[in-house]
Amino acid sequence: MSNESKDLKPATNMTRRTFIKGTGAVAATVALGGVGMVASGADVAEGAPVDFKNAKTFTSSCTMECLHHNLKGYVVDGKLVKIEANYPNDPTKACLRGLSRVQWVNHPDRIKMPLLRTGEKGEGKWKEISWDEALDLIVTKIKETQRELGNQGLCYKTGSGNFGQLVNGVAAAFFNYLGGCTTLVGSLCCQVVTTTMPPMLGSRYEDTRDTIQDSKYILVWGTNPAVTMQSYFYKYMDAMSKGARMVTIDPRFSETAAKSDEWVPILPGTDAALGLGMLKIIIEEELYDKDFLLKHTGVPFLVDKATGDQIKAEGSETGYLVYDEISKGIVPHDQEGIVPALSVAGTDLAAKYTTVFDLIYNEAKKWTPEKVQEETHVPAETVIRLAREYATSKPAMIIQNMGGFQRTEYGSYAVGAQFYLAAFTGNFGKAGGGVCDAGGVGTNIKVNDAIPSPKPQGQFGTIPSPKFGEYILADKPNKIGFMWIMTTSMMTQYPNTNKVKAALKKIPFVVVVDSLMTSTALYADLVLPCTTVFEYTDLLAHNRHHYVQLMEKAVDPPGQAKSDLEIFQMLAKRLGFGEAFDKTPEELIEVCLKGTGITLEQLKKGPVLATPDPYIPYKDGIFKTPTKKAELFVPMWKSKGFNPVVTYIRPNEFIYGDRQLAAKYPLMAVQRKINRTIHSTFGTLPWICEATGSTPHVLIHPEDAAARGIKDGDRVVVYNDRGEHRCVADVKAHIKKGIVALENGWWEQQGGSSSYVTSDFVEPLGGGHSCNNTLVEIRKEA
Amino acid sequence: MAKQVGFYMNMANCYGCQTCQVACKSEQQTAPAVSFRRVRQFNNDYPVMHATLSMGCNHCEKPQCLVNCPVGAYTKLDNGIVYQDHSKCIGCRMCVMACPYGVPQYDPEEGKTSKCSYCKERIDQGLQPRCVEACPGGNLAAGDLEELKAKYSGVQEFPGMPAAAITNPSIIINPAKAFKK
């Protein structure tokens, strides 16, 4: 909106009344129907104000799939009374969610004892049992399953609800001590980044957040850092104040788009076409950085036309061959004194060989600006301008950050297209440049597993995460008799939720470990109460923050809630796993830290920076691949029957894909992350509900709404063949016409997850999740 | 001239995370639905516009809450804070109606009204108001109004906001671009 915004007249419909009311910010009192959810303020908000002056302070971390900010907790009389960002020991500040954890710890609806189902699954009828009874029952069920179905009848799922070092890894160790089990593979969040980035660049979790403020051009591509990278967003503003241009590509006029110079709406799942179209301009107008391409990328590597494979010097894993323009011969890419040819088109070699550059250009050249416009709805002139701006404003940074663009049917190619753009323009390895992924401690130091995991006693089969429901219902690959779910809420996060629900009902014994009665716990046979942050000791050293942090126990958990670690330790004792699990948290933290150069004593004084500052991934163009170059040809894609270079494949669940389906369900739905939750975490805390609202919404364009007789604030049903999602219409032109934005993370007790309608298609190149290629229709609730 | 504290709000860089709002709630332990600081949204469709403004009490020079309170619950302190003696409040809501900014918050459970005190107790300890301290974007500042004016440029009102002439609020707003002249 850059050009228009300069002439933009202030909204004229603002009155004093609307100013006082604001919009959306004043939530009505929370109304949570269903099982055991109350909407009253937590008890910390009651009674006489607490005097924080004499409080004892402890530090911990906000450990779900977010930025892992260090937190300072205030304790008075054994009760957690306030949480603040531990600034400046952590130089970025925790957000409203982190501060609200005080209400999580003190939540009146905490689960305090193991709960055994007495009614139907999902009915919410339970009886409290003792830990001894619960553990005996679990051991019995495990043994029964092993006897009747074999180890493949066991399954577990950990998620991103807790990245503590003594949590998820311990589950993996535990199930391997049992001999192994059926496992779920592929993260719902960023699987295709995990499978695309390492073969191309040599690693994952390489974030450029330290130098955002040095960028001259920030291309925010299908992600919304104003919400999902919020504590670093001031750096974007800093860059802009120094003259950087920021452009946001998103179907929705996001919070980030609102801060950008330009919003580029796009059809979901078409990002690779836009990327290739931009690359075509960059190649044809010779805006690429030839020196960088030759020195630091594999685009000159020769490809045998007969086999379609890159050729290598005999006996060498990394000895890719290139055509040397000086000696006019085929030589290893890393030989001194050569000038590799980008292209061999038009030479004698062309009969037998091509180069990676030629392969890439062959894909890019199909995407004329006009064709890109047809496919993506990004105007042709915008495609040309974006390409020129991005290639000539240096350093330029692409913000990828596990964005929604890659949760699409061929998301791997969209991820790859962004890497191509950064490589072709020589933006990698420079302050203010590169491609921003999530990143953190694990990229630079190796933190050990707390409990070394034995090798499983066989291969028991895998379930692609998006297909959890379908696979379980079809006993594919195995009939599952026992399921353990922790640190995740499948009933809010997994696509095609009706199938997930049916699957949880089908599995004879489901254990859910959680601290509150989550949407998933509702469908358990046994719920085990666990601790939350500030109630147990742990180590946080993962891929989201540059600091290693000690998570201190500040208060006792309610009732008989136990840490995930302790639960496994108790079970390990019953199952006779020996001493491996039998250590204190502090001892296990020492194990984790061994060899890192960081000590527990150091961490007791505060978070420890474990990443070079500023961190510049692939500094000076040195990549972490075997060749140390960006390898833009991905053999793994070829082995799966796909083009080894980035290609655009039209999604199926898309208006131009399956036309019959699109006629029935003509609206494209994307699923957005909202300020109130991280996935579903925090979703029922009173302060969060009060500040951000407690009702799911769907954002719909005024023209799409009018065509369906829907007005702003109407209750509507979003539906397709998979199911329906009931919510409230937010009618605004803040989304491209023809697309609607669903909100991620709503609990069953709040009306249910929008994932009831989202696609469970498995992205075929990397095994990813494609919720953002979902077709729906919307009707007014009768 | 009497001393006067104030707030600077960098609306141009505010991205609406609402951390200030929850930090305030947590610090002041306010009742459900009572928020001394709120983040307002401003939206427009054609052309699209979305902006957010975080506002607590503006500790006005001519506070209408104080002027209209029938029991004298409000006082203007030496440092310019408009302070409510909550024990005097009778819940009549005159201040709620009088304040152009919708600052005083009535709690139906308690039957009384309360409002932002500029974190008076924290100020007395040499701390900043909690909202300012908590803002991850560094988009709020507190301090002596004259010093804030020397450091930041901005306005007391933009189109759609109440006229500053009513109360002379102790605020400097750097408006979002859509509200800039």
Side-chain angles (χ1 to χ4, degrees), chain A residues 551-599:
Chain A
M551 297 172 62
E552 294 180 313
K553 180 178 170 176
V555 293
D556 288 326
Q560 293 184 19
K562 298 190 186 299
S563 73
D564 292 272
L565 172 69
E566 201 181 342
I567 295 170
F568 283 123
Q569 286 174 326
M570 294 188 300
L571 280 169
K573 194 163 271 174
R574 276 165 200 260
L575 288 157
F577 291 169
E579 289 174 5
F581 286 72
D582 201 13
K583 292 192 173 74
T584 66
E586 288 75 13
E587 287 168 341
L588 291 172
I589 289 171
E590 303 271 16
V591 171
C592 296
L593 290 173
K594 202 170 177 199
T596 62
I598 297 168
T599 64

Side-chain angles (χ1 to χ4, degrees), chain A residues 423-442:
Chain A
F424 270 71
T425 53
N427 268 305
F428 276 119
K430 290 170 184 146
V435 178
C436 196
D437 185 17
V441 166

Side-chain angles (χ1 to χ4, degrees), chain B residues 5-181:
Chain B
V5 294
F7 283 117
Y8 167 67
M9 310 154 197
N10 191 351
M11 183 192 185
N13 282 9
C14 172
Y15 43 96
C17 75
Q18 299 177 290
T19 305
C20 53
Q21 189 173 332
V22 168
C24 172
K25 248 196 115 60
S26 172
E27 186 72 22
Q28 298 299 333
Q29 301 162 61
T30 56
V34 174
S35 283
F36 293 164
R37 177 164 285 269
R38 286 171 190 248
V39 177
R40 292 172 166 87
Q41 289 188 17
F42 302 86
N43 294 300
N44 194 57
D45 273 351
Y46 305 107
V48 284
M49 182 274 288
H50 170 78
T52 47
L53 174 68
S54 162
M55 191 180 271
C57 174
N58 297 326
H59 300 281
C60 306
E61 190 197 0
K62 297 177 277 182
Q64 293 305 296
C65 53
L66 184 150
V67 171
N68 287 283
C69 177
V71 293
Y74 291 97
T75 43
K76 186 116 177 112
L77 305 181
D78 290 347
N79 56 6
I81 291 175
V82 177
Y83 189 75
Q84 188 213 41
D85 179 346
H86 195 59
S87 67
K88 290 187 181 166
C89 178
I90 55 168
C92 71
R93 283 177 274 179
M94 287 296 283
C95 55
V96 175
M97 288 180 269
C99 174
Y101 303 100
V103 164
Q105 303 272 302
Y106 179 72
D107 176 9
E109 286 276 308
E110 191 195 10
K112 284 190 180 193
T113 300
S114 51
K115 74 160 196 71
C116 153
S117 70
Y118 203 83
C119 281
K120 180 183 173 299
E121 295 75 16
R122 288 174 58 90
I123 300 294
D124 292 345
Q125 293 167 47
L127 299 169
Q128 286 190 307
R130 181 70 187 113
C131 52
V132 172
E133 184 185 73
C135 176
N139 293 322
L140 294 172
D144 180 77
L145 187 61
E146 289 308 310
E147 286 171 25
L148 290 175
K149 279 181 183 164
K151 197 166 169 193
Y152 304 103
S153 59
V155 297
Q156 280 180 304
E157 64 173 88
F158 53 78
M161 267 185 75
I166 306 168
T167 66
N168 192 19
S170 305
I171 52 173
I172 306 164
I173 301 171
N174 177 25
K177 60 189 171 186
F179 295 94
K180 277 188 177 150
K181 292 208 179 83

